[in-house]
Amino acid sequence: MGLAEFFSERLNDLCAEERSELMDVIDNLRIHGFFQNVSQPQIIVCGDQSSGKSSVLQAVTGVPFPINRTPLFTTTELVLQRTEKVGIYVSIFLGNPVASSCVSFHEELEDFTGLEALMERAMEARGISSSTEMLDRVTLRIRISGPDQPHLTIVDLPGLVQPQTKKWPDSDIQNLVTSYMKDSRSIILAVVSAKYDYVRQPVLKLARSVDSNGTRTIGVITKPDTLSPGSERESSYVSLALNQEVELRLGWHVLKNPDSGLIKTPLAQRHEEESKFMNQGIWQELPDTVRGASQLRKRLRQIIHDRVTLELPRLIRSIERNRRRCKEKLEQLDKLSPPRNTFYSQQFHLLKLSESFQRITRSGIDGNWNDPFFGLDLKTEDGNASRLRAVVQDNNQKFANAMRSSGQRHTIIPELKEKHRGVCPPLSLTREMFIDHVKLTMQQSRGRELPGLFDPLIVTDIFRWQAYHWEMYAEAYVKKAWEACKRFMDLVIKHIADVGTAAAISRKIIEPSMDRILENAKDKTNEFLKSFQRVQPISYNLDLSQILQKVRSERSKAAYTKTLTSFFHVSTLQRHNCGSINLEELANALTRDTDEPDLDRYAACEVIDVMEAYYQVALKRFIDDIAVEVIEVKIVSALVDVLSPGGVYKMDHALIEALAGELKEDQDRRAKLTKQLEMLTHGIRTCERFESGTLDSK
């Protein structure tokens, strides 16, 4: 018998035709990973040893279950699975069948013609026989797979009554059977053999203990042909079949087992012999619905259908939850990465991104923090970096402070303090030391000028010597401002675009543009540096003369103060009443101490005064030029044009596709989510039709 013939004759009877659509939907959703926790029914056959359990299963399913050929502690499972591949797989497990490591035998069949021989060969391969004293639990699993199969498991459990063994007492068998009975998805076939008094068979008591309401238990009477016609026991079993002795909500059913010598009787012949027996004597008085294998399959089909129907409300809720999550994921994906399969959709997507980019960038430049982009926590690095204007202003102030405090090559101090202990502090020179340095420079560069006069070029040399560090500070400041802007742009593009598009735009647009902006900023910085490093000092700023006068005035004041404190023998001029003094001697002292007899030294002082005045004027101009013309014009203001709508329109097709083309993983994810959403929508509609009973409405 082929696999297809087998299914059409027996297992299809267990699946109601009107239920097939619903089960197809459930199986399809289960295959795709949804609601694995929703239970599917399983039929378990329980009863005493030799009560006819395996014969019952063979009658119901058509599968030639081994009868009286397996060890006492063997569980046989028939597992139906919906898969693309058709096949029959036989496995033997020693111990717990849940653990894959305990598989001790596995083989595949094309049909059922060799199933019984295969099972016997498998037992022999493991040294197992019906007389073997078992050292562990044995599970024989027959897995039938195919695209038309429902998810259903049918289990033949070990017999409840057997001789006491040292290894497997009755309690162990009973615990195993009870564990299957307790499973809420189990439909219990409680098999009672008519050869014995049913009150002495423990299966009914066990079933009642786990299914007190009897909603999952159907009683099956086997071997009715062993009863003497007209006997009291026969009448008792007929009453039992009529649900009068032991009442079960699902009722009772009667089956006739094949004669022990005719175990391999064809199913058609078995059905004929069973029908002949049921239509004679007292058994013909029973309703047709409670006798024979074909009627039992119909009853089981209805019970399975009812069990699935009970699950429908929970199933619908589960599908709806999954459908809602799937829809949210699809909407989120469309928001972050909308479908872009054509050039125009890709160009339109880039245009929208460029508009968002320019809007946020302008807000960052202007210090307008209303956009949601600026809602990041300011205590984080990203939150602080997103406030571009604040970062730029802070860098400007730090640059100005650094240039004022440390921009000059050497700090000129009036004189060494006692705490310096004869050693000049690093990067500092006393005025006397600086005068000596300038005097030496003048001597080395002397031209035709008269003593006491100086070549104007000396001021240039001394100024450049003092402004030596300007280049270092300016380059570091420009690089830091550029890095802040680049960090800001990275945050913006990641905020407005999906990961793939953001990475492509950063790599192909932002990084090359920022490299060009940095080069332009460096060129402009060098241009300003050249105006101080190579061009002769030129300034028409009125501040120059004011500063020069202030420098000379402060130097004269310092000299006068020194003379006066020495003349009056005091440490400070404050809070002293000089009283009667010799003004002529004071005038002589002031004149004598402030005159510089060394004309070269006098000229050096004049050079320093002019250089200091020009340095202050030039420093102010340099700080402002770098902050405005380099940072603002060449870097900050250039950001909005990095990704603009006009630039997008000028891009060629290849670049637009490289930037805005949908990633393969996003396409696959969207296709998967769309398919899942359609599947879940169809599933919930199908379940709702079954729940409402409108099966004919499509």
Side-chain angles (χ1 to χ4, degrees):
M1 185 192 309
L3 190 59
E5 180 185 359
F6 163 76
F7 287 136
S8 63
E9 289 184 355
R10 291 293 182 269
L11 289 182
N12 284 346
D13 287 345
L14 291 175
C15 304
E17 183 178 352
E18 65 274 12
R19 170 180 168 266
S20 61
E21 182 186 1
L22 175 63
M23 295 310 298
D24 284 345
V25 168
I26 295 175
D27 290 340
N28 190 37
L29 292 173
R30 187 185 301 277
I31 289 172
H32 287 83
F34 295 106
F35 48 83
Q36 297 293 335
N37 60 329
V38 176
S39 64
Q40 283 287 317
Q42 69 174 5
I43 299 172
I44 64 171
V45 183
C46 314
D48 290 355
Q49 182 188 356
S50 302
S51 62
K53 297 185 286 64
S54 298
S55 179
V56 170
L57 279 177
Q58 184 170 335
V60 171
T61 65
V63 177
F65 277 76
I67 302 175
N68 297 328
R69 300 289 182 91
T70 56
L72 300 179
F73 201 57
T74 299
T75 299
T76 305
E77 296 181 353
L78 176 64
V79 181
L80 308 179
Q81 291 182 328
R82 183 179 297 264
T83 62
E84 294 296 327
K85 184 179 179 181
V86 177
I88 305 172
Y89 310 87
V90 178
S91 303
I92 292 180
F93 298 84
L94 297 181
N96 183 3
V98 176
S100 58
S101 60
C102 66
V103 176
S104 58
F105 181 88
H106 182 83
E107 196 162 327
E108 181 177 353
L109 290 175
E110 294 182 357
D111 56 38
F112 280 94
T113 55
L115 178 59
E116 187 172 359
L118 175 61
M119 290 190 291
E120 291 181 357
R121 187 167 68 254
M123 294 291 186
E124 292 174 359
R126 297 300 305 171
I128 302 169
S129 67
S130 58
S131 60
T132 302
E133 181 178 351
M134 292 306 301
L135 299 178
D136 204 349
R137 170 182 171 185
V138 177
T139 300
L140 173 65
R141 177 174 293 166
I142 305 169
R143 182 164 57 88
I144 303 173
S145 301
D148 300 324
Q149 301 317 307
H151 281 283
L152 180 65
T153 300
I154 304 172
V155 184
D156 179 19
L157 292 166
L160 288 170
V161 178
Q162 60 173 325
Q164 290 282 346
T165 66
K166 203 168 188 182
K167 180 67 178 174
W168 297 113
D170 289 340
S171 59
D172 290 339
I173 302 292
Q174 182 171 310
N175 290 338
L176 172 65
V177 174
T178 303
S179 67
Y180 274 89
M181 285 183 168
K182 286 181 177 179
D183 192 335
S184 61
R185 66 189 179 124
S186 294
I187 299 170
I188 304 169
L189 294 187
V191 179
V192 175
S193 173
K195 290 181 66 174
Y196 309 103
D197 190 348
Y198 62 83
V199 297
R200 296 182 179 179
Q201 299 181 49
V203 65
L204 295 179
K205 183 178 180 181
L206 283 181
R208 184 76 71 181
S209 67
V210 298
D211 182 28
S212 58
N213 295 325
T215 57
R216 297 187 290 111
T217 304
I218 180 171
V220 179
I221 300 171
T222 61
K223 304 182 181 181
D225 53 321
T226 63
L227 296 169
S228 299
S231 65
E232 182 179 349
R233 175 174 288 182
E234 184 185 53
S235 298
S236 174
Y237 268 99
V238 169
S239 297
L240 185 65
L242 293 173
N243 208 23
Q244 296 173 350
E245 299 294 330
V246 178
E247 185 177 355
L248 297 174
R249 182 173 297 184
L250 298 181
W252 288 81
H253 205 91
V254 183
L255 293 178
K256 179 187 178 299
N257 302 64
D259 294 337
S260 58
L262 301 173
I263 294 175
K264 296 184 179 180
T265 301
L267 293 174
Q269 181 180 341
R270 182 194 186 285
H271 174 70
E272 183 179 346
E273 293 178 357
E274 184 181 54
S275 178
K276 181 180 178 181
F277 174 80
M278 293 296 178
N279 287 309
Q280 64 183 3
I282 195 172
W283 302 106
Q284 64 183 330
E285 299 177 5
L286 293 175
D288 292 342
T289 55
V290 299
R291 345 173 257 174
S294 61
Q295 290 295 330
L296 179 57
R297 285 193 294 274
K298 292 180 180 179
R299 293 182 70 180
L300 288 175
R301 178 178 66 188
Q302 185 61 46
I303 292 171
I304 293 172
H305 174 75
D306 293 342
R307 297 295 300 177
V308 172
T309 303
L310 287 175
E311 289 279 351
L312 278 178
R314 186 161 70 97
L315 189 62
I316 290 172
R317 291 193 297 271
S318 178
I319 296 176
E320 180 57 34
R321 282 195 300 269
N322 283 282
R323 191 175 76 93
R324 187 167 55 250
R325 293 193 194 105
C326 184
K327 187 176 180 180
E328 290 173 353
K329 290 179 181 179
L330 190 58
E331 290 174 349
Q332 184 179 15
L333 179 60
D334 287 343
K335 182 179 179 181
L336 294 176
S337 179
R340 304 184 296 274
N341 300 321
T342 66
F343 167 75
Y344 294 105
S345 64
Q346 294 165 1
Q347 186 184 57
F348 179 72
H349 181 63
L350 270 185
L351 286 172
K352 290 178 61 179
L353 290 182
S354 66
E355 291 171 356
S356 299
F357 177 87
Q358 286 199 321
R359 185 189 69 253
I360 296 176
T361 302
R362 285 196 178 97
S363 296
I365 293 173
D366 296 338
N368 181 359
W369 316 127
N370 293 327
D371 193 279
F373 168 77
F374 301 104
L376 297 172
D377 186 356
L378 295 180
K379 295 180 180 178
T380 65
E381 291 184 4
D382 287 349
N384 183 62
S386 67
R387 304 294 180 99
L388 180 61
R389 173 49 59 190
V391 174
V392 170
Q393 294 293 91
D394 184 60
N395 286 342
N396 289 345
Q397 190 62 57
K398 288 180 178 178
F399 172 66
N401 293 339
M403 288 292 292
R404 294 189 189 103
S405 62
S406 307
Q408 65 273 26
R409 190 169 192 171
H410 290 290
T411 301
I412 303 173
I413 59 177
E415 58 184 2
L416 291 177
K417 302 295 183 181
E418 181 64 27
K419 62 180 180 179
H420 295 149
R421 299 178 182 177
V423 180
C424 187
L427 303 180
S428 297
L429 293 175
T430 64
R431 184 171 180 80
E432 294 300 319
M433 295 168 64
F434 196 57
I435 291 173
D436 291 339
H437 167 72
V438 174
K439 181 179 177 181
L440 178 62
T441 303
M442 292 174 60
Q443 291 174 353
Q444 294 172 343
S445 306
R446 186 178 297 280
R448 294 178 178 272
E449 61 271 15
L450 295 173
L453 301 179
F454 58 88
D455 185 348
L457 294 179
I458 294 297
V459 176
T460 302
D461 293 340
I462 301 303
F463 166 77
R464 290 173 181 171
W465 188 77
Q466 271 292 73
Y468 177 79
H469 294 310
W470 284 17
E471 181 175 359
M472 176 184 67
Y473 280 99
E475 288 180 352
Y477 163 56
V478 170
K479 183 67 177 298
K480 188 173 182 180
W482 176 84
E483 289 174 346
C485 291
K486 188 175 185 300
R487 174 80 179 277
F488 170 78
M489 297 189 71
D490 288 339
L491 292 175
V492 173
I493 202 64
K494 289 177 181 178
H495 175 76
I496 63 175
D498 59 88
V499 175
T501 304
I505 293 176
S506 294
R507 185 175 63 257
K508 294 181 177 295
I509 301 296
I510 293 180
E511 291 181 5
S513 297
M514 291 304 294
D515 288 343
R516 288 193 296 271
I517 288 174
L518 180 59
E519 289 303 315
N520 292 337
K522 287 182 176 180
D523 291 343
K524 193 65 177 179
T525 302
N526 290 332
E527 180 181 329
F528 286 123
L529 285 169
K530 288 178 183 178
S531 67
F532 295 104
Q533 293 173 340
R534 299 182 183 179
V535 179
Q536 298 300 319
I538 299 175
S539 177
Y540 299 100
N541 193 329
L542 295 178
D543 290 344
L544 178 62
S545 60
Q546 295 177 0
I547 293 173
L548 178 57
Q549 293 177 24
K550 182 179 179 181
V551 168
R552 288 173 172 171
S553 175
E554 289 179 350
R555 181 162 60 86
S556 297
K557 180 180 179 181
Y560 291 148
T561 300
K562 182 178 180 182
T563 300
L564 289 172
T565 54
S566 175
F567 183 83
F568 291 107
H569 305 289
V570 294
S571 60
T572 178
L573 297 181
Q574 297 179 354
R575 299 187 302 276
H576 286 285
N577 185 1
C578 298
S580 173
I581 60 173
N582 189 327
L583 296 179
E584 184 177 2
E585 290 184 7
L586 176 58
N588 292 334
L590 291 173
T591 302
R592 180 180 62 252
D593 292 341
T594 55
D595 285 342
E596 179 56 70
D598 187 339
L599 294 180
D600 289 339
R601 194 170 186 81
Y602 173 80
C605 291
E606 290 294 311
V607 168
I608 293 175
D609 290 344
V610 175
M611 185 279 297
E612 286 185 333
Y614 180 72
Y615 183 92
Q616 294 184 39
V617 171
L619 180 64
K620 293 178 181 179
R621 189 177 74 191
F622 184 72
I623 291 173
D624 290 344
D625 285 345
I626 297 297
V628 176
E629 299 299 329
V630 177
I631 303 303
E632 291 296 329
V633 176
K634 294 298 182 180
I635 299 180
V636 177
S637 297
L639 299 181
V640 293
D641 295 325
V642 170
L643 184 63
S644 65
V648 172
Y649 274 117
K650 295 178 182 178
M651 292 179 184
D652 57 39
H653 288 212
L655 179 57
I656 285 181
E657 183 178 3
L659 295 177
E662 192 173 8
L663 294 176
K664 181 64 167 58
E665 58 187 31
D666 287 339
Q667 293 177 354
D668 295 343
R669 187 182 175 201
R670 176 174 286 103
K672 180 179 178 181
L673 288 172
T674 301
K675 182 179 179 181
Q676 289 179 350
L677 186 60
E678 293 174 353
M679 187 188 340
L680 290 165
T681 301
H682 172 67
I684 198 168
R685 289 175 180 170
T686 302
C687 291
E688 287 173 345
R689 284 196 294 107
F690 274 85
E691 186 183 37
S692 63
T694 57
L695 302 183
D696 295 332
S697 61
K698 299 294 183 182

